[in-house]
Amino acid sequence: MRYRPISPAVLADELTERIDALTGRHRIAVAVDGAAGATETTELADALVDPLRLRGRAALRVSARDFLRPASLRFEHGRTDPDARYADWLDVGALRREVLDPLGESGSGEVLPSLWDAERDRATRAERVPVPEGGVVLLDGELLLGAGLAFDLAVHLWLSPAALRRRVPDAWAVPAYERYEEEVDPSSLADVVVRVDDPRHPALYTP
């Protein structure tokens, strides 16, 4: 794969232009996907908010970590089970129902920005937020691709195998990301792939 070195600021600018160029959609869903704690999904998604708003686009931030299942389900097989991390932690159905479906042509436009507080293990009781025509929802998280979630633009932050093992803070979770790479091949599904072995010096995949 060929990569073009790019600064984080220029990356945000190029992604903003690409999102703003998406037309013919009532509302836009953007995913920023990458290994939790080892890739700066949150930082990148945050960096897109103000530039989009300057272009007249309403932008709403949502994090997949606020759509995890309750602890009783996530930790049914223990707190460090990589297979559960891969298949059972994220409430895909809730994310689709509460965030992505409302953005569709026949959707209400009313998005639930969070559902579950994983630290307190209870519902957040958040109120729905209206996303106007042309608005953008920026969703960051891990293991988002290949699960049947409908995104208008998907960005995958890719780590080489060595960097993955070196940078993931939860070593027990590494097999979940390796399985994701093998079974889903997120780079083949993403619209944009960014190598982030060194987050200070990302590189954009150029086909």
Side-chain angles (χ1 to χ4, degrees):
M1 299 179 76
R2 297 174 295 173
Y3 288 90
R4 168 170 59 91
I6 190 171
S7 71
V10 173
L11 174 62
D13 287 343
E14 292 193 9
L15 289 176
T16 298
E17 289 183 6
R18 184 153 181 176
I19 295 167
D20 194 41
L22 294 173
T23 59
R25 296 164 172 82
H26 285 265
R27 301 168 185 89
I28 295 168
V30 176
V32 182
D33 171 70
T39 55
E40 286 64 29
T41 58
T42 299
E43 290 81 355
L44 180 55
D46 286 348
L48 299 174
V49 173
D50 287 343
L52 284 168
R53 288 175 177 168
L54 286 173
R55 291 172 178 250
R57 296 267 193 177
L60 175 67
R61 281 285 288 111
V62 178
S63 291
R65 64 177 174 271
D66 294 323
F67 286 84
L68 298 182
R69 291 190 170 100
S72 60
L73 299 176
R74 297 201 315 276
F75 304 143
E76 184 177 1
H77 302 290
R79 291 179 173 268
T80 58
D81 186 310
D83 290 330
R85 178 75 169 258
Y86 178 78
D88 299 329
W89 277 32
L90 181 63
D91 192 338
V92 174
L95 196 57
R96 180 186 297 111
R97 180 181 67 251
E98 306 293 354
V99 178
L100 299 176
D101 284 354
L103 302 178
E105 185 173 349
S106 60
S108 67
E110 301 276 334
V111 169
L112 191 68
S114 66
L115 177 66
W116 195 258
D117 184 331
E119 291 188 4
R120 297 183 180 182
D121 200 35
R122 66 186 187 189
T124 62
R125 301 188 184 278
E127 295 185 359
R128 296 185 180 277
V129 177
V131 178
E133 293 279 329
V136 181
V137 170
L138 299 159
L139 170 70
D140 77 283
E142 65 173 15
L143 311 172
L144 295 176
L145 306 183
L149 297 174
F151 300 114
D152 298 292
L153 185 76
V155 181
H156 176 60
L157 303 186
W158 182 79
L159 292 167
S160 66
L164 179 68
R165 291 189 293 271
R166 182 176 70 251
R167 295 192 57 209
V168 169
D170 298 329
W172 63 267
V174 169
Y177 299 122
E178 292 175 335
R179 180 179 171 187
Y180 183 52
E181 186 72 24
E182 180 180 351
E183 295 185 2
V184 175
D185 188 12
S187 294
S188 70
L189 300 178
D191 301 289
V192 179
V193 179
V194 185
R195 182 169 181 163
V196 290
D197 285 5
D198 182 345
R200 299 166 299 177
H201 303 286
L204 187 65
Y205 170 63
T206 55

